Amino acid sequence: MLRAVSRSSQCAARAASTAPAAGGNQKRPNIVLVDSVRTPFVTSGTLFKDMMSVDLQKEALRGLIRKTGVDYKLIDHVICGTVVQECKTANVAREAALLAGFPDKIPCHTVTLACISSNVAMTEAMGMLSTGYANAVIAGGTELLSDVPIRYNRKARKAMLGIQKAKTPMAKLQIGAEIVKNLLSPELPAVSEFTSGETMGHSGDRLAAAFGVSRREQDEFAIRSHTLAEAAARGGKMSDIVPVFVDGKKPVTVKADNGIRVSTLEKLSTLKPAFVKPHGTVTAANASFLTDGASAALLMTEEYALANGFKPKAYLRGYQYVAQDPKDQLLLSPAYVIPKIIEKSGLKLSDIDVFEIHEAFAGQVLANLNALDSDYFCKTFMGRSGKFGRLDMEKINRWGGSLSIGHPFGATGVRLATHAAGRLKEEKGRYAVIAACAAGGHGVGMLIEAYGK
Ligand SMILES: CC(=O)SCCNC(=O)CCNC(=O)[C@H](O)C(C)(C)COP(=O)(O)OP(=O)(O)OC[C@H]1O[C@@H](n2cnc3c(N)ncnc32)[C@H](O)[C@@H]1OP(=O)(O)O
């Protein structure tokens, strides 16, 4: 998506977006974020615990339609991201769109790339808009960690499948015994890396240690995140939230995130390490918590948006994915991707007014910032002539982040883009970069430009 443009250009990223497509004379259209929404992000096992992931995605899709007033007829495609799939709704985008009342003629598909799944939904949508396949695409994502698929273990599964083929009563009995023997040792899903078996929390702890981030720094950053999120919520900045009605014995309409919790350094310092015991530094308070929630964004070509009477929120200018060895440092992708997305767009660090960086763990964000400010790291691992530079903390996550707002894996990417666009408007900035790490050693960066600057 990104095209290198002259550094001398007055408006590098804008020029890039209208450069001729490779191999043809067609101009690539400007792509805009018309608007976006999310359900409240709530701690797993609480308010949404009896719902399904598809219900949350449906609420986000409906909320987006209500908020934008877009006619279903204008939508060409729906793409949603998710990570822990509910097997009954493998293509959750389709099921959610049907439940939300979308016409069945709109194709919908589901994507997955760990914590950046809804970024993938957005960047696929950008590709569809760029090529002319579509004029308007909804990209979103959902996650419900309150209910995850728990499987019988392999031996039990094998026996269950084999019992139908057993020919004699004795063979059936033997297989039945094998099933019973294995019923009480189910396979539980874990937030861990397949190739190494390492949990994300363990990896975050190792990363913080490798880049010299202290426990105190992590706790302070966590308090910062919660304090900023609380102020943003109080100040009406979380206007992307659409309320969700939860039916049941005590019906309730959920209107706000419920994980924001401003605490003190004294309290946080009493918490025990959650992953690397007993000497680790990642705790329940400086880690993102397991979250339920969904998001949805309406993307259009600028021309189509204006022709249909929409006032876009921002331009989506480009994106970059990266990947590293997941056994080495799983969560270091923001450091790799931030320079790439900025420089490939013909911009410099000082041109970026707003950063929205996914907060998997406080120590992970701080380690990434240290990496970018390290001559050794940038020379050795990124092939640069020296360090990229330290990002200004005043520009980072000023409405809080995943540590405080929450992190429903499949939905976070759209939340990052939404807050980046919202902050550009409020802070009167021009360019925003969002960056996030993901399992598999992956990461994504996206460049967003304020609309009408
Ligand atoms: C690319 C990526 O995004 S990778 C990241 C993927 N995500 C993850 O890996 C999820 C990581 N998080 C987790 O697995 C879980 O949230 C854990 C393991 C860290 C913590 O889970 P739990 O132990 O259930 O946390 P719980 O909410 O019970 O909190 C434990 C304690 O910390 C306290 N606590 C938690 N947060 C805070 C806070 N912000 N302020 C003060 N105290 C806090 C709780 O009150 C509780 O105290 P108590 O024991 O006195 O009751």
Side-chain angles (χ1 to χ4, degrees):
M1 287 300 299
L2 288 169
R3 289 158 295 276
V5 289
S6 157
R7 282 179 178 277
S8 63
S9 165
Q10 285 276 307
C11 184
R14 192 184 301 268
S17 70
T18 53
N25 293 323
Q26 286 167 293
K27 299 267 192 230
R28 285 186 178 153
N30 284 324
I31 294 163
V32 291
L33 173 69
V34 174
D35 213 337
S36 41
V37 300
R38 63 183 177 95
T39 67
F41 285 180
V42 315
T43 310
S44 297
T46 64
L47 295 159
F48 295 156
K49 69 179 182 340
D50 295 323
M51 299 178 81
M52 289 175 74
S53 161
V54 69
D55 298 324
L56 294 179
Q57 188 66 76
K58 173 198 75 179
E59 294 295 336
L61 293 176
R62 267 195 192 155
L64 184 68
I65 296 290
R66 265 197 318 272
K67 190 174 182 199
T68 57
V70 66
D71 190 323
Y72 289 113
K73 285 202 300 267
L74 298 183
I75 309 296
D76 295 308
H77 206 108
V78 177
I79 313 170
C80 299
T82 199
V83 181
V84 183
Q85 278 186 329
E86 159 62 55
C87 51
K88 284 187 194 155
T89 56
N91 185 1
V92 73
R94 177 63 166 172
E95 309 308 340
L98 292 175
L99 287 177
F102 282 53
D104 56 17
K105 296 289 180 290
I106 301 175
C108 313
H109 75 272
T110 299
V111 292
T112 190
L113 209 178
C115 302
I116 56 177
S117 294
S118 61
N119 298 89
V120 175
M122 281 189 287
T123 59
E124 272 203 19
M126 290 166 76
M128 290 178 170
L129 297 165
S130 282
T131 55
Y133 158 73
N135 292 310
V137 181
I138 291 179
T142 184
E143 208 70 50
L144 187 112
L145 296 176
S146 287
D147 181 30
V148 292
I150 296 173
R151 303 203 294 182
Y152 291 115
N153 67 32
R154 187 72 187 252
K155 283 183 185 159
R157 299 201 306 270
K158 217 162 136 190
M160 284 168 178
L161 291 171
I163 204 158
Q164 289 145 1
K165 290 186 190 151
K167 297 246 162 34
T168 64
M170 182 51 80
K172 279 196 173 66
L173 214 61
Q174 275 168 350
I175 296 177
E178 182 71 6
I179 295 172
V180 171
K181 206 167 79 187
N182 285 289
L183 282 184
L184 293 180
S185 347
E187 281 177 13
L188 297 170
V191 191
S192 64
E193 191 62 18
F194 179 72
T195 49
S196 65
E198 188 178 54
T199 63
M200 301 291 144
H202 193 117
S203 197
D205 217 320
R206 274 199 307 111
L207 181 65
F211 284 86
V213 182
S214 69
R215 164 76 184 267
R216 188 188 169 97
E217 286 174 308
Q218 294 176 51
D219 288 347
E220 281 172 351
F221 187 79
I223 292 172
R224 173 191 191 269
S225 179
H226 283 271
T227 307
L228 290 172
E230 190 187 63
R234 241 188 297 110
K237 311 253 168 38
M238 306 289 189
S239 57
D240 51 341
I241 295 180
V242 289
V244 172
F245 175 71
V246 184
D247 212 351
K249 277 191 193 145
K250 288 186 190 160
V252 60
T253 300
V254 184
K255 295 182 182 157
D257 305 322
N258 76 350
I260 303 172
R261 174 180 177 186
V262 180
S263 190
T264 62
L265 207 51
E266 290 68 40
K267 164 70 189 160
L268 263 52
S269 64
T270 64
L271 298 181
K272 297 223 159 45
F275 299 100
V276 179
K277 295 168 184 170
H279 299 301
T281 53
V282 175
T283 69
N286 64 37
S288 57
F289 52 90
L290 301 174
T291 313
D292 302 335
S295 58
L298 177 58
L299 275 56
M300 288 184 178
T301 62
E302 181 181 22
E303 197 181 351
Y304 196 69
L306 296 180
N308 286 285
F310 294 100
K311 174 148 184 9
K313 288 255 163 38
Y315 291 107
L316 299 183
R317 289 303 191 191
Y319 60 82
Q320 176 71 47
Y321 288 95
V322 291
Q324 278 76 236
D325 175 6
K327 291 188 194 122
D328 178 19
Q329 287 298 355
L330 188 65
L331 306 169
L332 203 46
S333 290
Y336 287 102
V337 86
I338 287 171
K340 275 198 172 159
I341 182 76
I342 293 176
E343 290 170 353
K344 285 178 79 173
S345 309
L347 299 170
K348 356 185 244 312
L349 178 55
S350 57
D351 290 323
I352 309 304
D353 305 296
V354 163
F355 284 97
E356 280 293 324
I357 302 176
H358 165 49
E359 298 169 351
F361 303 96
Q364 161 265 326
V365 177
L366 296 172
N368 274 276
L369 299 183
N370 286 355
L372 287 167
D373 198 30
S374 156
D375 275 324
Y376 173 76
F377 179 82
C378 292
K379 278 186 190 169
T380 316
F381 296 100
M382 293 165 73
R384 300 181 67 86
S385 57
K387 64 184 177 185
F388 179 67
R390 185 155 283 277
L391 272 53
D392 181 353
M393 193 57 95
E394 283 301 301
K395 296 182 177 181
I396 302 173
N397 301 2
R398 291 189 58 84
W399 294 357
S402 300
L403 288 173
S404 47
I405 295 168
H407 174 37
F409 306 152
T412 289
V414 167
R415 201 272 302 158
L416 292 171
T418 309
H419 283 195
R423 283 185 51 209
L424 278 176
K425 186 157 187 241
E426 185 187 84
E427 295 166 29
K428 301 191 173 27
R430 176 153 188 191
Y431 292 116
V433 162
I434 68 177
C437 52
H442 292 103
V444 69
M446 295 178 72
L447 179 72
I448 298 176
E449 185 181 351
Y451 195 80
K453 270 298 246 191

